[in-house]
Amino acid sequence: MRTLLLPAMIALLTVGQTPQAPAPFRTLDDRFAPPRFTDRTEWERRAAYLREHVLASAGLLPLPPRTPLNPVVFDELKHEGYSVAKVFFESLPGFYVTGNLYRPAGPGPFPAVLSAHGHWTYGRLENQPLMSGPGRAISLARRGFVVFTHDMVGYNDSRQLPHTFDGRRERLWGLSLGGLQLWNSIRALDFLESLPYVRKDAIGATGESGGGTQTYMVAAVDPRVAAAVPVNMVSLLMQGGCLCENPPGLRLDTTNVEIAATIAPRPLLLVSATGDWTKETMESEYPAVRALYALVGADDRVRAVRFDAEHNYNQGSREAMYGWMARWLKGEASDAPQKEQPFTADRLPDLQVFHGRPLPAGALTPGALTTAWIESAKRQLGETPLDIRAAALRHALAFAGEAPKPAPAARPSRRRPVVLLAGVPPEVERAIKAAGYQVRSVAFTPFDEAAAAKVSHFETYNRTPASQRVADIVTALRAQPNAVLVAAGDAALAGALAAAIEPPRLAVIDAGGFDTSRDDDFLARLYVPGLRRAGDLRTASEMAPGRLIVHNAGAAFDAPGARVQQATLTPREIAKAVKQAEQQH
């Protein structure tokens, strides 16, 4: 086990607080407690936070520009009562969403269903007793629904990226496999809305397993989803085992059950099975979700069913979904299951979008997609108001669930401010003490690298070391209101971020040559997923204007709300800055 401290700080701890004991790491397989709220206002505040948190963890706060979809619908096959066509469109310039569009016979307008798939061998084209993507689309189309079945990234025709697409640099900028799939789902709703024969007020979403994750995620953040049926996924026993279900930071303080409940008061049907992690839905997850629906006066809009089966989207599950969609998207009197008629799926080559044809010219490679995303994010940061960037930063640092706090008001006091020390060399401590100030050192939480390495999708459920340093400094600042923070090295960089969450009287930050223009500096010393997408230290300095002095900064250190210099302050100059901060207050 190592601690998140520089050698000098280890010595300081002997005169200050003792290190905090590390809490056990959260994992995707923990058994979590059901959410419990008794006050409607409290739940609605929590639900609003969760909706924003899903977007932030997916790198979608703010939402990327809605660039032209440029949809192509072709090779339509006509069958009795419905047709099916191949589709591709651009969710981002040069990145394609692929799938099939099933359309009922007649002019419409029709309700529609966005149909996501799980991690089956053939993805959206899987057709077997446990799951048939074509079968549910055909059956819905025969019932008068337009259906778009789309590929997860890396499946079938979505072959620009592998389903293992990931990287620490990408995560810094809010680009992740799960976030990209959520954006694809949002753009798929845009596509369905663009069709003249689709009712814009009657679009549902459904999917199983990983597709169930896509279903409740898009329903949580996009109110255009008028009814949702996540199948075999919403559980307190397992939160999702694939990279695509685990955007960084998503479940630091929440679960799938709580996220799914944010759909209220829109209709939600939970489909579960005895043979997987949804086996306790009727006894645990459903009562918890129904209680939250009841708080908003919508307990008649949530139901749950359980089938004696292994992990699936089988005929019984599909029939339950047909009835739910008919009730809430077509206005039928009952949500009772509707019997599925026999169907014949088309041959795979007749459904594959790029069978026998190349990807469109200009289709991005993985590296080119990362570059394009980062360049777009940089442009967007320059146009995004501070309040939105600040919200994104609070989410990245896991403080967004709290009400934002204003900078502490100046108030006269005969007491000299406490000076919090983090990572500073002994000579700085001596200079501050010689100036007559009481010092306290920040207690940092030990980080067990070996234990963390054993946790699948660690960053989805736990803070990174840098993020934990920020949290520890925030804790220290809250324990000493109106204190001055003096910090060096990696603790200083964390302190600059902490000052945005709990503004000190002043923070004197020795940046150790850190350069905010270099991703490598963040990766080595300040790795927090989503940090650069939120505007990193630039946003932080604007959230605490006039309260940061940054010295020993890199040549391109960007912090417009701070006083920044490349030269290093001497211990005496640091003590003088502390004195000036005291006098100004």
Side-chain angles (χ1 to χ4, degrees):
M1 180 185 292
R2 70 174 177 88
T3 55
L4 307 178
L5 304 174
L6 300 174
M9 187 176 291
I10 296 174
L12 283 175
L13 286 172
T14 64
V15 297
Q17 299 166 288
T18 56
Q20 303 173 32
F25 292 133
R26 284 168 62 101
T27 79
L28 64 88
D29 292 314
D30 288 347
R31 178 183 284 271
F32 293 107
R36 299 189 189 280
F37 291 83
T38 57
D39 179 78
R40 175 171 181 163
T41 300
E42 182 186 4
W43 165 242
E44 288 178 339
R45 185 182 300 116
R46 174 70 174 174
Y49 152 71
L50 288 169
R51 294 184 194 105
E52 186 178 77
H53 183 64
V54 170
L55 289 173
S57 67
L60 303 178
L61 185 65
L63 288 173
R66 275 185 159 91
T67 51
L69 291 171
N70 301 320
V72 178
V73 181
F74 64 106
D75 283 357
E76 184 178 33
L77 297 173
K78 292 188 178 296
H79 300 288
E80 184 177 354
Y82 74 97
S83 63
V84 56
K86 302 175 182 180
V87 175
F88 64 87
F89 59 79
E90 295 176 78
S91 61
L92 297 165
F95 187 76
Y96 293 91
V97 176
T98 50
N100 296 117
L101 182 67
Y102 292 78
R103 178 181 175 181
F110 304 104
V113 174
L114 180 63
S115 180
H117 68 82
H119 296 86
W120 308 94
T121 302
Y122 294 100
R124 79 177 198 274
L125 304 177
E126 187 83 13
N127 182 34
Q128 48 119 329
L130 279 178
M131 202 293 279
S132 176
R136 69 175 180 255
I138 291 168
S139 299
L140 282 167
R142 287 171 170 174
R143 287 171 164 79
F145 294 88
V146 173
V147 184
F148 180 54
T149 65
H150 59 301
D151 287 321
M152 289 199 296
V153 173
Y155 275 70
N156 293 319
D157 296 293
S158 180
R159 58 187 192 230
Q160 290 175 259
L161 301 178
H163 201 63
T164 55
F165 176 74
D166 191 30
R168 293 173 82 244
R169 182 175 183 237
E170 284 78 6
R171 289 179 171 220
L172 268 178
W173 284 98
L175 179 58
S176 65
L177 184 62
L180 184 57
Q181 289 192 166
L182 178 55
W183 180 241
N184 287 349
S185 295
I186 293 170
R187 298 312 316 266
L189 294 175
D190 292 344
F191 168 66
L192 284 171
E193 273 199 325
S194 74
L195 301 174
Y197 46 83
V198 166
R199 286 178 50 198
K200 295 178 176 59
D201 64 341
I203 300 177
T206 190
E208 77 292 342
S209 193
T213 300
Q214 293 181 65
T215 297
Y216 70 73
M217 291 274 279
V218 72
V221 302
D222 200 318
R224 292 177 297 178
V225 177
V229 184
V231 176
N232 288 187
M233 193 62 241
V234 178
S235 172
L236 292 166
L237 304 182
M238 199 280 289
Q239 303 301 299
C242 181
L243 181 65
C244 77
E245 300 173 274
N246 285 281
L250 176 63
R251 302 186 188 91
L252 283 169
D253 70 343
T254 190
T255 65
N256 295 352
V257 170
E258 203 177 32
I259 296 170
T262 66
I263 300 169
R266 288 168 290 151
L268 172 67
L269 175 65
L270 300 174
V271 179
S272 60
T274 57
D276 68 12
W277 50 88
T278 61
K279 60 187 177 182
E280 297 179 4
T281 290
M282 305 307 291
E283 296 79 22
S284 181
E285 290 87 356
Y286 174 54
V289 173
R290 186 170 183 179
L292 297 176
Y293 264 72
L295 276 182
V296 298
D299 52 329
D300 61 330
R301 294 184 169 217
V302 61
R303 294 283 186 276
V305 293
R306 179 169 57 197
F307 294 93
D308 188 11
E310 57 188 294
H311 195 58
N312 75 89
Y313 203 155
N314 61 19
Q315 182 174 339
S317 299
R318 296 194 297 269
E319 290 174 345
M321 178 268 292
Y322 302 148
W324 193 253
M325 295 300 188
R327 168 69 181 90
W328 296 107
L329 300 183
K330 296 181 72 177
E332 295 187 7
S334 171
D335 59 21
Q338 296 186 359
K339 185 68 176 176
E340 182 178 270
Q341 300 303 312
F343 60 84
T344 300
D346 292 287
R347 298 183 314 122
L348 293 186
D350 293 334
L351 296 174
Q352 290 175 300
V353 175
F354 294 128
H355 178 71
R357 59 187 292 156
L359 291 170
L364 297 177
T365 62
L369 174 65
T370 295
T371 298
W373 175 275
I374 292 174
E375 290 306 311
S376 177
K378 288 178 178 178
R379 290 192 299 271
Q380 195 171 26
L381 280 171
E383 304 165 354
T384 302
L386 176 59
D387 61 334
I388 297 176
R389 287 185 283 121
L393 184 65
R394 291 189 185 97
H395 282 284
L397 298 175
F399 284 100
E402 306 176 343
K405 295 184 178 181
R411 58 182 182 271
S413 173
R414 293 184 179 181
R415 295 183 58 191
R416 309 196 79 181
V418 170
V419 179
L420 293 172
L421 303 178
V424 300
E427 57 268 26
V428 171
E429 180 191 2
R430 288 194 295 267
I432 293 172
K433 282 184 174 180
Y437 292 96
Q438 180 184 8
V439 301
R440 301 279 178 84
S441 54
V442 177
F444 285 89
T445 303
F447 184 81
D448 191 333
E449 287 185 353
K454 297 176 183 178
V455 178
S456 296
H457 313 298
F458 176 86
E459 294 168 12
T460 304
Y461 303 88
N462 304 279
R463 293 178 179 274
T464 64
S467 177
Q468 186 60 54
R469 283 194 287 270
V470 175
D472 291 337
I473 295 173
V474 168
T475 297
L477 287 170
R478 289 177 174 173
Q480 298 291 337
N482 222 30
V484 173
L485 173 68
V486 178
D490 294 353
L493 301 172
L497 295 174
I501 304 301
E502 188 69 26
R505 182 186 296 240
L506 177 72
V508 183
I509 302 300
D510 180 345
F514 191 90
D515 191 331
T516 59
S517 69
R518 296 194 296 250
D519 286 342
D520 285 348
D521 282 24
F522 284 92
L523 292 171
R525 299 176 58 191
L526 196 60
Y527 174 64
V528 179
L531 184 60
R532 301 226 69 186
R533 178 75 170 110
D536 53 76
L537 294 165
R538 176 187 178 92
T539 296
S541 70
E542 292 181 72
M543 291 169 67
R547 294 176 181 269
L548 286 177
I549 295 175
V550 180
H551 62 111
N552 192 15
F557 195 101
D558 188 12
R563 193 180 92 196
V564 179
Q565 65 181 57
Q566 288 182 255
T568 302
L569 294 175
T570 66
R572 182 174 295 182
E573 288 171 329
I574 292 172
K576 182 179 179 180
V578 174
K579 178 71 172 178
Q580 290 173 339
E582 178 188 3
Q583 293 172 341
Q584 290 169 358
H585 286 71

